Amino acid sequence: MRRFLRVLSTSAPALLAAALCFHFAMTLSYLTPQNPLQLRFARLISGYMNPLFQQNWHLFAPDPISDTRLLMVACRLREPDGSTTETGWTDITTPYWEGHLENRLGPATRLGRSVTGAARMIYTADPTSLQITKKLEQRRVRAQAGEGAPEDPEGHVVDALRGEVKKEQDAAYQLGKSVLERAGSAHCDSLYGPNRTVAVRMRMAVLRFPRFSRRDLPDSKGDMTYYDLDWAPYQSVAPLSVAEEDRLKPHVAIQTAAVEGR
C-alpha cells in the first residue's frame, strides 16, 4: 500500500500536467475558427467540451451583442371531447434568468443555457462555415462553367471538405431542434398539466436594439423578428420539478406575457 501511495504521489504531478495539457488543447481546438483539422475531429472535440466546458468568445468579441433573444413555446392540447386547441406563445426564457438572479447557485442557469444554447445551434450559423461553404461553391460553379480553369486535381478534397461542413451544420441543427422540442414538451406539461399536450412548437423572438445613432430610444423601440419551428410531436420528458425548487413557478404564463406574431 505504501509503495502504491509513493508511486501515486510521484506520478500525480505528471498526470495532472498531462490532463491540463489535454484539456487546454481541446479547448483551443474548440475555440479556433473552423479548419480542416477541427472538422476532422469535430465529434471528439464536441463530445469532450459539451456540455460541461462549452464556451464562446462573446465577451471579447469586436462586435458587442446587439439584440435580445427570447424563446417561446406554443402547445397543442387535447380537449376532453377529443378535439385539439392551440395556445398562444409563452416566454420560457425570462423566468430562468429571473430564477438565476434570485439564486445564483441554483439550477436555473444550467436549464436556461441548455435551451438558449440549443437555439443558437439552430439559428446562429458559424461565419467561418458560411465563408468556407460559399468559397467552395464558387469554386465548383466556376469549374462547371468552364471559365478556362484547369481541372482541379484536388477536387475530391474540396468535395469532402464541403461535405464535412454540411454534415456538421446538419448535426448541430438536429441536436438543437431535438433539445428545444423536449424543452417545449416539458414546459407544456408545466403550463397546462400532464397528458394533455399532443404537439409543441418553438419560436425565437429577436429584439434588435436601436442603433447607436438612436440611443435615446428604449430597447422596446427596436426591430422584432420571429423565427418559428414546425409543430413537433410531444415527447415524454421529466417534469420541471427542479425549476420549481428554484422558485420558477410552473405556470409561467401568469408570469410572462404571451407574445403573438401575426
Side-chain angles (χ1 to χ4, degrees):
M1 187 66 180
R2 288 184 177 179
R3 184 176 179 181
F4 173 76
L5 293 176
R6 189 182 306 112
V7 172
L8 182 62
S9 62
T10 55
S11 59
L15 293 175
L16 179 60
L20 289 176
C21 289
F22 176 79
H23 174 75
F24 288 126
M26 297 295 284
T27 303
L28 180 63
S29 302
Y30 181 79
L31 294 175
T32 53
Q34 282 193 350
N35 54 75
L37 185 62
Q38 187 190 63
L39 293 173
R40 174 66 178 81
F41 298 101
R43 182 171 299 180
L44 172 64
I45 296 172
S46 298
Y48 176 79
M49 295 297 296
N50 296 320
L52 295 179
F53 305 117
Q54 184 178 11
Q55 55 185 292
N56 55 58
W57 285 100
H58 284 175
L59 178 63
F60 308 102
D63 299 322
I65 294 176
S66 59
D67 56 48
T68 293
R69 304 187 179 196
L70 298 176
L71 282 167
M72 294 178 283
V73 63
C75 312
R76 183 177 291 163
L77 306 176
R78 181 187 296 108
E79 299 297 339
D81 60 0
S83 62
T84 58
T85 58
E86 296 178 1
T87 67
W89 296 99
T90 301
D91 175 6
I92 65 174
T93 304
T94 303
Y96 282 132
W97 305 140
E98 291 178 348
H100 171 67
L101 293 176
E102 292 181 7
N103 183 2
R104 298 296 180 125
L105 301 179
T109 300
R110 295 192 299 274
L111 290 171
R113 286 188 181 278
S114 65
V115 177
T116 55
R120 191 180 300 112
M121 297 175 72
I122 292 180
Y123 295 109
T124 304
D126 181 74
T128 307
S129 297
L130 294 178
Q131 186 177 13
I132 292 174
T133 304
K134 182 179 179 180
K135 288 188 176 298
L136 293 175
E137 184 63 23
Q138 291 174 347
R139 185 171 180 174
R140 183 187 65 83
V141 171
R142 285 198 303 269
Q144 290 182 347
E147 296 180 353
E151 184 177 354
D152 187 0
E154 299 181 353
H156 64 285
V157 178
V158 173
D159 292 338
L161 181 58
R162 183 168 58 243
E164 288 295 329
V165 172
K166 186 177 186 305
K167 186 187 300 183
E168 184 185 23
Q169 292 174 338
D170 292 344
Y173 178 87
Q174 292 300 328
L175 177 59
K177 182 173 178 290
S178 175
V179 172
L180 287 185
E181 290 171 355
R182 291 175 63 83
S185 298
H187 278 87
C188 287
D189 283 347
S190 178
L191 288 165
Y192 305 104
N195 303 321
R196 290 196 60 195
T197 306
V198 296
V200 298
R201 191 177 191 185
M202 300 299 295
R203 157 180 286 185
M204 184 170 71
V206 180
L207 174 62
R208 187 170 175 80
F209 308 145
R211 300 302 87 196
F212 184 76
S213 59
R214 304 176 62 193
R215 58 188 178 277
D216 56 309
L217 298 178
D219 291 348
S220 58
K221 295 298 182 181
D223 298 325
M224 181 73 81
T225 306
Y226 298 101
Y227 300 91
D228 294 350
L229 290 177
D230 295 330
W231 285 97
Y234 167 83
Q235 299 185 42
S236 179
V237 295
L240 292 175
S241 57
V242 175
E244 294 176 27
E245 293 174 4
D246 202 30
R247 291 197 289 175
L248 294 180
K249 299 178 177 56
H251 296 285
V252 294
I254 302 175
Q255 230 178 342
T256 57
V259 182
E260 301 257 357
R262 302 298 181 183

